[in-house]
Coordinates of all heavy atoms in Angstrom, one line a residue:
M1267 N 16.3 5.7 11.6 CA 16.2 6.4 10.3 C 15.2 7.5 10.4 O 14.1 7.3 10.8 CB 15.8 5.4 9.3 CG 15.7 6.0 7.9 SD 15.2 4.8 6.6 CE 13.5 4.4 7.2
A1268 N 15.6 8.7 10.0 CA 14.7 9.8 9.9 C 13.6 9.6 8.8 O 14.0 9.3 7.7 CB 15.4 11.1 9.7
V1269 N 12.4 9.8 9.1 CA 11.3 9.7 8.2 C 10.7 11.1 8.0 O 10.2 11.6 9.0 CB 10.3 8.7 8.6 CG1 9.2 8.6 7.6 CG2 10.9 7.3 8.9
E1270 N 10.8 11.6 6.8 CA 10.3 12.9 6.5 C 9.0 12.9 5.6 O 9.0 12.1 4.7 CB 11.3 13.8 5.8 CG 12.7 13.9 6.5 CD 12.6 14.8 7.7 OE1 11.6 15.6 7.8 OE2 13.5 14.7 8.6
P1271 N 8.1 13.8 5.8 CA 6.9 13.8 4.9 C 7.4 14.2 3.5 O 8.4 15.0 3.3 CB 6.1 15.0 5.5 CG 6.5 15.1 6.9 CD 7.9 14.7 6.9
L1272 N 6.8 13.6 2.5 CA 7.1 14.0 1.1 C 6.2 15.1 0.6 O 5.1 15.2 1.1 CB 6.8 12.8 0.2 CG 7.7 11.5 0.4 CD1 7.1 10.4 -0.4 CD2 9.1 11.7 0.2
S1273 N 6.7 16.0 -0.3 CA 5.9 17.0 -0.9 C 4.8 16.3 -1.8 O 5.1 15.2 -2.2 CB 6.7 18.0 -1.7 OG 7.2 17.3 -2.8
Q1274 N 3.8 17.0 -2.0 CA 2.7 16.5 -2.9 C 3.3 16.1 -4.3 O 3.0 15.1 -4.9 CB 1.6 17.5 -3.1 CG 0.5 17.1 -4.0 CD -0.5 16.0 -3.5 OE1 -0.4 15.7 -2.3 NE2 -1.3 15.4 -4.3
Q1275 N 4.2 17.0 -4.8 CA 4.9 16.8 -6.1 C 5.7 15.5 -6.0 O 5.7 14.6 -6.9 CB 5.8 17.9 -6.4 CG 6.4 17.9 -7.8 CD 5.3 17.8 -8.9 OE1 4.5 18.7 -8.9 NE2 5.3 16.8 -9.7
D1276 N 6.4 15.3 -4.9 CA 7.3 14.1 -4.8 C 6.4 12.8 -4.7 O 6.7 11.8 -5.3 CB 8.1 14.3 -3.5 CG 9.4 13.5 -3.6 OD1 9.7 12.8 -4.6 OD2 10.2 13.6 -2.6
V1277 N 5.3 12.9 -4.0 CA 4.4 11.8 -3.9 C 3.9 11.4 -5.3 O 3.9 10.3 -5.8 CB 3.2 12.1 -3.0 CG1 2.1 11.0 -3.1 CG2 3.6 12.3 -1.6
E1278 N 3.5 12.4 -6.1 CA 2.9 12.2 -7.4 C 4.0 11.6 -8.3 O 3.8 10.7 -9.1 CB 2.3 13.5 -8.0 CG 1.0 13.8 -7.3 CD 0.5 15.2 -7.7 OE1 1.0 15.8 -8.6 OE2 -0.5 15.6 -7.0
D1279 N 5.2 12.1 -8.2 CA 6.3 11.6 -9.1 C 6.6 10.1 -8.7 O 6.7 9.3 -9.6 CB 7.6 12.4 -8.8 CG 7.6 13.8 -9.4 OD1 6.7 14.0 -10.2 OD2 8.5 14.6 -9.0
R1280 N 6.6 9.8 -7.5 CA 6.9 8.4 -7.1 C 5.7 7.5 -7.5 O 5.9 6.3 -7.8 CB 7.1 8.3 -5.6 CG 8.4 9.0 -5.2 CD 8.7 8.9 -3.7 NE 9.7 9.8 -3.3 CZ 10.6 9.5 -2.3 NH1 10.5 8.3 -1.7 NH2 11.5 10.3 -2.0
L1281 N 4.5 8.0 -7.4 CA 3.3 7.1 -7.7 C 3.3 6.8 -9.3 O 2.6 5.9 -9.7 CB 2.0 7.7 -7.3 CG 1.8 7.8 -5.7 CD1 0.4 8.2 -5.4 CD2 2.2 6.4 -5.1
R1282 N 3.9 7.7 -10.0 CA 4.0 7.4 -11.5 C 4.5 6.0 -11.8 O 4.2 5.4 -12.8 CB 4.8 8.5 -12.2 CG 4.1 9.0 -13.4 CD 4.6 10.3 -14.0 NE 4.0 11.5 -13.3 CZ 4.7 12.5 -12.8 NH1 6.0 12.6 -12.9 NH2 4.0 13.5 -12.1
E1283 N 5.4 5.6 -10.9 CA 6.0 4.2 -11.1 C 5.2 3.1 -10.5 O 5.6 2.0 -10.5 CB 7.4 4.2 -10.5 CG 8.4 4.9 -11.4 CD 9.6 5.5 -10.6 OE1 10.0 4.8 -9.7 OE2 10.0 6.6 -11.0
L1284 N 4.0 3.5 -9.9 CA 3.2 2.5 -9.3 C 1.7 2.6 -9.8 O 0.8 3.2 -9.2 CB 3.2 2.7 -7.7 CG 4.5 2.5 -7.0 CD1 4.5 3.0 -5.6 CD2 4.8 1.0 -7.0
P1285 N 1.5 2.1 -11.0 CA 0.2 2.3 -11.7 C -0.9 1.7 -10.8 O -0.8 0.7 -10.1 CB 0.3 1.4 -12.9 CG 1.8 1.3 -13.2 CD 2.4 1.3 -11.9
G1286 N -2.0 2.5 -10.7 CA -3.1 2.0 -9.9 C -3.1 2.7 -8.5 O -4.2 2.7 -7.8
W1287 N -2.0 3.2 -8.1 CA -1.9 3.8 -6.8 C -2.2 5.3 -7.0 O -1.9 5.9 -8.0 CB -0.5 3.7 -6.1 CG -0.3 2.3 -5.6 CD1 0.1 1.2 -6.3 CD2 -0.5 1.9 -4.2 NE1 0.2 0.1 -5.4 CE2 -0.2 0.5 -4.2 CE3 -0.9 2.6 -3.1 CZ2 -0.3 -0.2 -3.0 CZ3 -1.0 1.8 -1.9 CH2 -0.7 0.5 -1.9
S1288 N -3.0 5.9 -6.0 CA -3.3 7.3 -6.1 C -3.2 7.9 -4.7 O -3.1 7.2 -3.7 CB -4.6 7.5 -6.7 OG -5.6 6.9 -6.0
T1289 N -3.3 9.2 -4.7 CA -3.3 9.9 -3.4 C -4.4 11.0 -3.4 O -4.7 11.6 -4.4 CB -1.9 10.6 -3.1 OG1 -1.9 11.2 -1.9 CG2 -1.5 11.6 -4.2
D1290 N -4.9 11.2 -2.2 CA -5.8 12.3 -1.9 C -5.1 13.4 -1.1 O -5.7 14.3 -0.6 CB -7.0 11.9 -1.2 CG -6.7 11.3 0.2 OD1 -5.5 11.3 0.6 OD2 -7.6 10.8 0.9
G1291 N -3.8 13.3 -1.0 CA -2.9 14.3 -0.3 C -2.7 13.8 1.1 O -1.8 14.4 1.8
E1292 N -3.5 12.9 1.6 CA -3.4 12.5 3.0 C -2.9 11.1 3.2 O -2.4 10.7 4.2 CB -4.7 12.6 3.7 CG -5.2 14.1 3.8 CD -6.3 14.3 4.8 OE1 -7.0 13.3 5.2 OE2 -6.5 15.4 5.2
R1293 N -3.1 10.3 2.1 CA -2.7 8.9 2.2 C -2.5 8.4 0.7 O -2.9 9.1 -0.2 CB -3.8 8.0 2.9 CG -5.1 8.2 2.3 CD -6.2 7.4 3.0 NE -6.4 8.0 4.4 CZ -7.1 9.1 4.6 NH1 -7.8 9.7 3.7 NH2 -7.3 9.5 5.8
I1294 N -1.8 7.3 0.6 CA -1.8 6.6 -0.8 C -2.7 5.4 -0.7 O -2.8 4.7 0.4 CB -0.4 6.4 -1.3 CG1 0.4 5.4 -0.4 CG2 0.4 7.7 -1.5 CD1 1.7 4.9 -1.0
T1295 N -3.4 5.1 -1.8 CA -4.4 4.1 -1.8 C -4.3 3.2 -3.1 O -3.9 3.7 -4.1 CB -5.8 4.6 -1.7 OG1 -6.1 5.4 -2.8 CG2 -6.0 5.5 -0.4
R1296 N -4.7 2.0 -2.9 CA -5.0 1.2 -4.1 C -6.0 0.1 -3.8 O -6.0 -0.4 -2.7 CB -3.7 0.5 -4.7 CG -4.1 -0.3 -5.9 CD -3.0 -0.7 -6.8 NE -3.7 -1.4 -7.9 CZ -3.2 -1.9 -8.9 NH1 -1.9 -1.8 -9.1 NH2 -3.9 -2.6 -9.8
R1297 N -6.9 -0.2 -4.8 CA -7.8 -1.4 -4.6 C -7.4 -2.4 -5.7 O -7.3 -2.0 -6.9 CB -9.2 -1.0 -4.8 CG -10.2 -2.1 -4.5 CD -11.6 -1.7 -4.4 NE -12.1 -1.5 -5.8 CZ -13.4 -1.4 -6.1 NH1 -14.3 -1.5 -5.1 NH2 -13.8 -1.2 -7.3
Y1298 N -7.2 -3.6 -5.3 CA -7.0 -4.7 -6.2 C -8.2 -5.6 -6.3 O -8.9 -5.8 -5.3 CB -5.8 -5.6 -5.6 CG -4.5 -5.0 -5.5 CD1 -4.0 -4.4 -4.3 CD2 -3.7 -4.9 -6.7 CE1 -2.8 -3.8 -4.3 CE2 -2.4 -4.3 -6.6 CZ -2.0 -3.8 -5.4 OH -0.8 -3.2 -5.3
S1299 N -8.5 -6.1 -7.5 CA -9.6 -7.1 -7.7 C -9.0 -8.5 -8.0 O -7.9 -8.6 -8.5 CB -10.5 -6.7 -8.8 OG -11.1 -5.4 -8.5
F1300 N -9.8 -9.5 -7.6 CA -9.4 -10.9 -7.7 C -10.5 -11.7 -8.4 O -11.6 -11.2 -8.4 CB -9.0 -11.5 -6.4 CG -7.8 -10.8 -5.8 CD1 -8.0 -9.6 -5.0 CD2 -6.5 -11.2 -5.9 CE1 -6.9 -8.9 -4.5 CE2 -5.4 -10.6 -5.4 CZ -5.7 -9.4 -4.7
D1301 N -10.2 -12.9 -8.7 CA -11.2 -13.8 -9.4 C -12.2 -14.3 -8.3 O -13.3 -14.8 -8.7 CB -10.6 -14.9 -10.2 CG -10.0 -14.4 -11.4 OD1 -10.3 -13.3 -11.9 OD2 -9.1 -15.0 -12.0
G1302 N -11.8 -14.3 -7.0 CA -12.7 -14.8 -6.0 C -12.2 -14.4 -4.6 O -11.2 -13.8 -4.5
H1303 N -13.0 -14.8 -3.6 CA -12.8 -14.4 -2.3 C -11.5 -15.0 -1.7 O -10.7 -14.3 -1.0 CB -14.0 -14.8 -1.4 CG -13.9 -14.2 0.0 ND1 -13.8 -12.9 0.3 CD2 -13.9 -14.8 1.2 CE1 -13.7 -12.7 1.6 NE2 -13.8 -13.9 2.2
F1304 N -11.3 -16.3 -2.0 CA -10.1 -16.9 -1.4 C -8.8 -16.3 -1.9 O -7.9 -16.1 -1.1 CB -10.2 -18.4 -1.6 CG -9.3 -19.2 -0.7 CD1 -9.5 -19.3 0.6 CD2 -8.1 -19.8 -1.2 CE1 -8.7 -20.0 1.5 CE2 -7.2 -20.5 -0.4 CZ -7.5 -20.6 1.0
Q1305 N -8.8 -16.0 -3.2 CA -7.6 -15.3 -3.7 C -7.3 -14.0 -3.0 O -6.2 -13.6 -2.7 CB -7.7 -15.1 -5.2 CG -7.7 -16.4 -6.1 CD -9.1 -17.0 -6.3 OE1 -10.0 -16.8 -5.5 NE2 -9.2 -17.7 -7.4
A1306 N -8.4 -13.3 -2.8 CA -8.3 -12.0 -2.1 C -7.8 -12.1 -0.7 O -6.9 -11.4 -0.2 CB -9.6 -11.2 -2.1
A1307 N -8.3 -13.2 0.0 CA -7.9 -13.4 1.4 C -6.5 -13.8 1.5 O -5.7 -13.4 2.4 CB -8.8 -14.5 2.0
A1308 N -6.0 -14.6 0.5 CA -4.6 -15.0 0.5 C -3.7 -13.8 0.3 O -2.6 -13.7 1.0 CB -4.3 -16.0 -0.6
M1309 N -4.1 -12.9 -0.5 CA -3.3 -11.6 -0.7 C -3.2 -10.8 0.6 O -2.2 -10.3 0.9 CB -4.0 -10.8 -1.8 CG -3.4 -9.4 -2.0 SD -1.8 -9.5 -2.9 CE -1.5 -7.7 -3.1
V1310 N -4.3 -10.8 1.4 CA -4.3 -10.1 2.7 C -3.2 -10.6 3.6 O -2.5 -9.9 4.2 CB -5.7 -10.1 3.3 CG1 -5.6 -9.7 4.8 CG2 -6.7 -9.2 2.6
I1311 N -3.1 -12.0 3.6 CA -2.1 -12.6 4.5 C -0.7 -12.2 4.0 O 0.2 -11.9 4.8 CB -2.3 -14.1 4.5 CG1 -3.6 -14.5 5.1 CG2 -1.1 -14.8 5.2 CD1 -3.8 -14.1 6.5
H1312 N -0.5 -12.2 2.7 CA 0.8 -11.8 2.2 C 1.1 -10.4 2.5 O 2.3 -10.0 2.9 CB 0.9 -12.1 0.7 CG 2.2 -12.4 0.1 ND1 2.5 -13.0 -1.0 CD2 3.5 -12.0 0.7 CE1 3.8 -13.0 -1.2 NE2 4.4 -12.4 -0.2
V1313 N 0.1 -9.5 2.3 CA 0.4 -8.1 2.7 C 0.7 -7.9 4.2 O 1.5 -7.2 4.6 CB -0.9 -7.2 2.2 CG1 -0.7 -5.8 2.8 CG2 -1.0 -7.2 0.7
A1314 N -0.1 -8.7 5.0 CA 0.2 -8.6 6.4 C 1.6 -9.0 6.7 O 2.3 -8.4 7.6 CB -0.8 -9.5 7.2
Q1315 N 2.1 -10.0 6.1 CA 3.5 -10.5 6.3 C 4.5 -9.3 5.9 O 5.4 -9.0 6.6 CB 3.8 -11.7 5.4 CG 5.2 -12.3 5.6 CD 5.5 -13.4 4.7 OE1 5.0 -13.4 3.5 NE2 6.2 -14.4 5.1
I1316 N 4.3 -8.7 4.7 CA 5.1 -7.6 4.3 C 5.1 -6.5 5.3 O 6.1 -5.9 5.7 CB 4.7 -7.1 2.9 CG1 5.0 -8.2 1.8 CG2 5.3 -5.8 2.5 CD1 4.3 -8.0 0.5
Q1317 N 3.9 -6.2 5.8 CA 3.7 -5.1 6.7 C 4.5 -5.3 8.0 O 5.1 -4.4 8.6 CB 2.2 -4.8 7.0 CG 1.6 -4.3 5.7 CD 0.1 -3.9 5.9 OE1 -0.4 -3.1 5.1 NE2 -0.6 -4.5 6.8
E1318 N 4.5 -6.6 8.5 CA 5.2 -6.9 9.7 C 6.7 -6.8 9.4 O 7.5 -6.3 10.3 CB 4.8 -8.3 10.1 CG 3.5 -8.4 10.8 CD 3.4 -7.8 12.1 OE1 3.8 -8.4 13.1 OE2 3.1 -6.6 12.2
E1319 N 7.2 -7.2 8.3 CA 8.6 -7.1 7.9 C 9.0 -5.6 7.9 O 10.1 -5.3 8.4 CB 8.9 -7.7 6.5 CG 9.0 -9.2 6.5 CD 9.1 -9.8 5.1 OE1 9.6 -9.0 4.2 OE2 8.8 -10.9 4.9
L1320 N 8.2 -4.8 7.4 CA 8.5 -3.3 7.3 C 8.2 -2.6 8.6 O 8.6 -1.4 8.7 CB 7.8 -2.7 6.1 CG 8.1 -3.1 4.7 CD1 7.2 -2.4 3.7 CD2 9.6 -2.8 4.4
N1321 N 7.5 -3.2 9.5 CA 6.9 -2.5 10.6 C 6.2 -1.3 10.2 O 6.3 -0.2 10.8 CB 8.0 -2.2 11.7 CG 7.3 -1.8 13.0 OD1 6.2 -2.1 13.3 ND2 8.1 -1.0 13.8
H1322 N 5.4 -1.4 9.2 CA 4.6 -0.3 8.6 C 3.3 -0.9 8.1 O 3.3 -1.9 7.3 CB 5.4 0.4 7.5 CG 4.9 1.7 7.2 ND1 5.0 2.8 8.1 CD2 4.3 2.3 6.1 CE1 4.5 3.9 7.6 NE2 4.0 3.6 6.4
H1323 N 2.2 -0.4 8.5 CA 0.9 -1.1 8.3 C -0.2 -0.1 7.7 O -0.4 1.0 8.2 CB 0.4 -1.5 9.7 CG 1.4 -2.4 10.4 ND1 2.4 -1.8 11.1 CD2 1.5 -3.7 10.5 CE1 3.2 -2.8 11.7 NE2 2.6 -4.0 11.3
S1324 N -0.8 -0.7 6.7 CA -1.9 0.1 6.0 C -3.2 -0.2 6.7 O -3.3 -1.2 7.5 CB -2.0 -0.4 4.6 OG -2.4 -1.7 4.5
D1325 N -4.2 0.6 6.4 CA -5.6 0.1 6.7 C -5.9 -0.8 5.5 O -5.9 -0.4 4.3 CB -6.5 1.3 6.6 CG -6.4 2.2 7.8 OD1 -5.8 1.8 8.8 OD2 -6.8 3.4 7.8
L1326 N -6.1 -2.1 5.8 CA -6.1 -3.2 4.9 C -7.5 -3.8 4.9 O -7.9 -4.3 6.0 CB -5.0 -4.2 5.2 CG -4.9 -5.4 4.4 CD1 -4.5 -5.1 3.0 CD2 -3.7 -6.2 5.0
T1327 N -8.3 -3.7 3.8 CA -9.7 -4.1 3.9 C -9.9 -5.2 2.9 O -9.7 -5.1 1.7 CB -10.6 -2.9 3.5 OG1 -10.2 -1.8 4.4 CG2 -12.0 -3.2 3.7
L1328 N -10.5 -6.3 3.4 CA -10.9 -7.4 2.5 C -12.4 -7.3 2.2 O -13.2 -7.2 3.1 CB -10.6 -8.7 3.3 CG -11.1 -10.0 2.6 CD1 -10.4 -10.3 1.3 CD2 -10.9 -11.2 3.6
G1329 N -12.7 -7.3 0.9 CA -14.1 -7.4 0.4 C -14.3 -8.8 -0.1 O -13.6 -9.7 0.1
Y1330 N -15.4 -8.9 -0.9 CA -15.7 -10.2 -1.5 C -14.5 -10.7 -2.4 O -13.9 -11.7 -2.2 CB -17.0 -10.2 -2.2 CG -17.1 -11.3 -3.3 CD1 -16.9 -12.6 -2.9 CD2 -17.4 -11.0 -4.6 CE1 -17.0 -13.7 -3.8 CE2 -17.4 -12.1 -5.5 CZ -17.2 -13.4 -5.1 OH -17.3 -14.4 -6.1
N1331 N -14.2 -9.9 -3.4 CA -13.1 -10.2 -4.3 C -12.2 -9.0 -4.5 O -11.6 -8.9 -5.5 CB -13.6 -10.7 -5.6 CG -14.4 -9.7 -6.4 OD1 -14.7 -8.6 -5.9 ND2 -14.7 -10.0 -7.6
T1332 N -12.1 -8.2 -3.4 CA -11.2 -7.0 -3.5 C -10.4 -6.9 -2.2 O -10.8 -7.4 -1.1 CB -12.0 -5.7 -3.6 OG1 -12.9 -5.6 -2.5 CG2 -12.8 -5.7 -4.9
V1333 N -9.2 -6.3 -2.4 CA -8.4 -5.9 -1.3 C -8.0 -4.5 -1.4 O -7.5 -4.1 -2.5 CB -7.1 -6.8 -1.2 CG1 -6.1 -6.3 -0.2 CG2 -7.4 -8.3 -1.0
S1334 N -8.2 -3.7 -0.4 CA -8.0 -2.2 -0.5 C -6.9 -1.9 0.6 O -7.0 -2.4 1.7 CB -9.2 -1.4 -0.3 OG -10.2 -1.7 -1.2
L1335 N -6.0 -1.0 0.2 CA -5.0 -0.5 1.1 C -5.1 1.0 1.1 O -5.2 1.6 0.1 CB -3.6 -0.9 0.7 CG -3.1 -2.3 0.8 CD1 -3.4 -3.1 -0.5 CD2 -1.6 -2.4 1.1
A1336 N -4.9 1.6 2.3 CA -4.7 3.0 2.4 C -3.7 3.2 3.5 O -3.7 2.6 4.6 CB -6.0 3.7 2.9
V1337 N -2.6 4.0 3.2 CA -1.6 4.1 4.2 C -1.0 5.5 4.2 O -0.8 6.2 3.2 CB -0.5 3.1 3.9 CG1 0.2 3.2 2.6 CG2 0.5 3.0 5.1
N1338 N -0.6 6.0 5.4 CA 0.2 7.1 5.6 C 1.1 6.8 6.9 O 1.0 5.7 7.4 CB -0.5 8.4 5.7 CG -1.5 8.5 6.9 OD1 -1.4 7.7 7.9 ND2 -2.5 9.3 6.8
T1339 N 1.8 7.8 7.3 CA 2.8 7.5 8.4 C 2.3 8.2 9.7 O 2.4 9.5 9.8 CB 4.2 7.9 8.0 OG1 4.5 7.1 6.8 CG2 5.2 7.5 9.1
H1340 N 1.8 7.5 10.6 CA 1.3 8.0 11.9 C 2.4 8.8 12.6 O 2.0 9.9 13.2 CB 0.8 6.9 12.8 CG -0.1 5.9 12.1 ND1 -0.1 4.6 12.4 CD2 -1.0 6.1 11.1 CE1 -0.9 3.9 11.6 NE2 -1.5 4.8 10.8
S1341 N 3.6 8.3 12.6 CA 4.6 8.9 13.5 C 5.0 10.3 13.0 O 5.7 11.0 13.8 CB 5.9 8.0 13.5 OG 6.3 7.8 12.2
V1342 N 4.6 10.7 11.8 CA 4.9 12.1 11.4 C 3.6 12.9 11.2 O 3.4 13.8 10.4 CB 5.7 12.2 10.1 CG1 7.2 11.7 10.4 CG2 5.1 11.5 8.9
G1343 N 2.6 12.4 12.0 CA 1.3 13.1 12.0 C 0.4 12.8 10.9 O -0.5 13.6 10.5
G1344 N 0.5 11.6 10.3 CA -0.4 11.2 9.2 C -0.1 11.8 7.9 O -1.0 12.0 7.1
K1345 N 1.2 12.0 7.6 CA 1.7 12.5 6.3 C 2.2 11.3 5.5 O 2.4 10.2 6.0 CB 2.8 13.5 6.4 CG 2.5 14.7 7.4 CD 1.7 15.7 6.7 CE 1.7 16.9 7.6 NZ 0.6 17.8 7.3
I1346 N 2.4 11.5 4.2 CA 2.9 10.5 3.3 C 4.4 10.6 3.3 O 5.0 11.6 3.1 CB 2.3 10.7 1.9 CG1 0.8 10.6 1.9 CG2 2.9 9.6 1.0 CD1 0.1 11.1 0.7
T1347 N 5.1 9.4 3.5 CA 6.5 9.3 3.5 C 7.0 8.2 2.6 O 6.2 7.5 2.1 CB 7.1 9.0 4.9 OG1 6.7 7.7 5.3 CG2 6.5 10.0 6.0
G1348 N 8.3 8.1 2.5 CA 8.9 7.1 1.7 C 8.6 5.7 2.2 O 8.6 4.7 1.4
L1349 N 8.2 5.6 3.5 CA 7.8 4.3 4.0 C 6.5 3.8 3.4 O 6.4 2.6 3.1 CB 7.6 4.3 5.5 CG 8.8 4.4 6.4 CD1 8.4 4.6 7.9 CD2 9.7 3.1 6.3
D1350 N 5.6 4.7 3.1 CA 4.4 4.4 2.5 C 4.6 3.9 1.0 O 4.0 2.9 0.6 CB 3.4 5.6 2.5 CG 3.2 6.1 3.9 OD1 2.9 5.3 4.8 OD2 3.4 7.3 4.2
V1351 N 5.5 4.6 0.4 CA 5.8 4.3 -1.0 C 6.5 2.9 -1.1 O 6.2 2.1 -1.9 CB 6.6 5.4 -1.7 CG1 7.0 5.0 -3.1 CG2 5.9 6.7 -1.7
E1352 N 7.4 2.7 -0.1 CA 8.1 1.4 0.0 C 7.1 0.2 0.2 O 7.2 -0.8 -0.4 CB 9.1 1.4 1.1 CG 9.9 0.1 1.3 CD 10.7 -0.3 0.1 OE1 10.9 0.5 -0.9 OE2 11.1 -1.5 0.0
L1353 N 6.1 0.4 1.1 CA 5.1 -0.6 1.3 C 4.3 -0.8 -0.1 O 4.1 -2.0 -0.4 CB 4.1 -0.2 2.4 CG 2.9 -1.1 2.6 CD1 3.4 -2.5 2.9 CD2 2.0 -0.6 3.7
A1354 N 4.0 0.2 -0.7 CA 3.2 0.1 -2.0 C 4.1 -0.7 -3.0 O 3.6 -1.6 -3.7 CB 2.9 1.5 -2.6
R1355 N 5.4 -0.4 -3.1 CA 6.3 -1.1 -4.0 C 6.3 -2.6 -3.7 O 6.3 -3.5 -4.5 CB 7.7 -0.6 -3.9 CG 7.9 0.7 -4.6 CD 9.4 1.0 -4.9 NE 9.6 2.3 -5.4 CZ 10.1 3.3 -4.7 NH1 10.6 3.1 -3.4 NH2 10.2 4.5 -5.2
R1356 N 6.4 -2.9 -2.4 CA 6.5 -4.3 -1.9 C 5.2 -5.1 -2.3 O 5.2 -6.2 -2.6 CB 6.8 -4.4 -0.4 CG 8.3 -3.9 -0.1 CD 9.3 -5.0 -0.3 NE 9.0 -6.3 0.3 CZ 9.4 -6.7 1.5 NH1 10.1 -5.8 2.2 NH2 9.0 -7.8 2.0
V1357 N 4.1 -4.4 -2.1 CA 2.8 -5.0 -2.3 C 2.6 -5.2 -3.8 O 2.2 -6.3 -4.3 CB 1.7 -4.2 -1.7 CG1 0.3 -4.7 -2.2 CG2 1.7 -4.2 -0.2
E1358 N 3.0 -4.2 -4.6 CA 2.9 -4.4 -6.1 C 3.7 -5.6 -6.6 O 3.3 -6.3 -7.5 CB 3.4 -3.1 -6.8 CG 2.5 -2.0 -6.9 CD 1.3 -2.3 -7.8 OE1 1.5 -2.6 -9.0 OE2 0.2 -2.3 -7.2
A1359 N 4.9 -5.8 -5.9 CA 5.8 -6.9 -6.4 C 5.1 -8.3 -6.2 O 5.6 -9.2 -6.9 CB 7.1 -6.8 -5.6
V1360 N 4.2 -8.4 -5.3 CA 3.6 -9.7 -5.1 C 2.1 -9.8 -5.7 O 1.6 -10.9 -5.8 CB 3.6 -10.1 -3.7 CG1 5.0 -10.1 -3.1 CG2 2.6 -9.3 -2.8
A1361 N 1.6 -8.7 -6.1 CA 0.1 -8.7 -6.5 C -0.2 -9.5 -7.7 O -1.2 -10.3 -7.6 CB -0.3 -7.2 -6.7
S1362 N 0.6 -9.5 -8.7 CA 0.3 -10.2 -9.9 C 0.4 -11.7 -9.7 O -0.4 -12.5 -10.2 CB 1.1 -9.8 -11.1 OG 2.5 -10.1 -10.9
G1363 N 1.3 -12.1 -8.8 CA 1.4 -13.5 -8.4 C 0.2 -14.1 -7.7 O -0.1 -15.3 -7.7
H1364 N -0.7 -13.2 -7.2 CA -1.9 -13.6 -6.5 C -3.1 -13.4 -7.4 O -4.2 -13.6 -7.0 CB -2.2 -12.7 -5.3 CG -1.3 -13.1 -4.1 ND1 -1.6 -14.1 -3.2 CD2 -0.1 -12.6 -3.7 CE1 -0.7 -14.2 -2.3 NE2 0.3 -13.3 -2.6
G1365 N -2.8 -13.1 -8.7 CA -3.9 -13.0 -9.7 C -4.6 -11.6 -9.6 O -5.8 -11.5 -10.0
A1366 N -4.0 -10.7 -8.9 CA -4.7 -9.3 -8.8 C -4.8 -8.7 -10.2 O -3.9 -8.8 -11.0 CB -3.8 -8.5 -7.9
H1367 N -5.9 -8.0 -10.3 CA -6.1 -7.2 -11.6 C -6.9 -5.9 -11.2 O -7.2 -5.7 -10.1 CB -6.7 -8.0 -12.7 CG -7.9 -8.8 -12.3 ND1 -9.2 -8.2 -12.2 CD2 -8.0 -10.1 -11.9 CE1 -10.0 -9.1 -11.8 NE2 -9.4 -10.3 -11.6
Ligands
H2B1633 C1 6.0 1.2 17.2 C2 5.9 1.1 15.8 O1 7.2 1.2 15.2 C3 5.0 2.0 15.1 O2 3.8 2.0 15.8 C4 4.8 1.8 13.6 C5 4.0 0.6 13.3 N1 3.3 0.7 12.0 C6 3.0 1.9 11.5 N2 2.3 2.0 10.4 C7 2.0 3.2 9.8 N3 1.2 3.2 8.8 N4 2.5 4.3 10.3 C8 3.3 4.4 11.4 O3 3.8 5.4 11.8 C9 3.6 3.1 12.0 N5 4.4 3.0 13.1

């Protein structure tokens, strides 16, 4: 499957459907907060599973009660593609079930 970089406008349009996600033009990012560390750690494992399924991996950071993702697509030189948005959609779909806010 060909993976093409998205225009900045296209990125912003797609992120409108993903509240909390934003872009600096080089990657898309979101930070989730949880009620405690263990909830945050469980979310990391679930995100790791999704990333393996998609074969697409964010920089995924566990804090005390936070989980942060930042992702772009290395294979097109670090641009934002539909794969990044798909990962964000998949992560959003499970976040509330982990108590993310
Ligand atoms: C060989 C394998 O398909 C590649 O290394 C994948 C794995 N995960 C990846 N993750 C991200 N974020 N970008 C990539 O281009 C990428 N490529």
Side-chain angles (χ1 to χ4, degrees):
M1267 182 182 64
V1269 179
E1270 302 289 341
L1272 299 173
S1273 68
Q1274 178 75 10
Q1275 188 60 56
D1276 208 357
V1277 172
E1278 287 170 13
D1279 288 347
R1280 293 180 192 216
L1281 291 190
R1282 223 164 277 134
E1283 284 152 38
L1284 293 167
W1287 285 84
S1288 60
T1289 182
D1290 61 2
E1292 298 198 338
R1293 54 186 66 82
I1294 61 172
T1295 64
R1296 180 163 181 177
R1297 186 173 75 165
Y1298 295 98
S1299 296
F1300 298 83
D1301 289 338
H1303 187 57
F1304 196 71
Q1305 291 91 333
M1309 176 73 174
V1310 165
I1311 296 298
H1312 205 160
V1313 172
Q1315 181 185 36
I1316 291 167
Q1317 293 183 155
E1318 287 288 276
E1319 281 175 21
L1320 293 177
N1321 192 25
H1322 199 66
H1323 305 80
S1324 65
D1325 290 341
L1326 179 60
T1327 307
L1328 174 63
Y1330 159 54
N1331 63 353
T1332 61
V1333 172
S1334 300
L1335 290 91
V1337 64
N1338 62 22
T1339 301
H1340 312 143
S1341 58
V1342 294
K1345 309 280 190 196
I1346 300 164
T1347 70
L1349 285 176
D1350 304 309
V1351 177
E1352 178 61 14
L1353 175 58
R1355 285 200 187 105
R1356 290 282 306 269
V1357 170
E1358 278 294 301
V1360 303
S1362 64
H1364 285 274
H1367 48 83

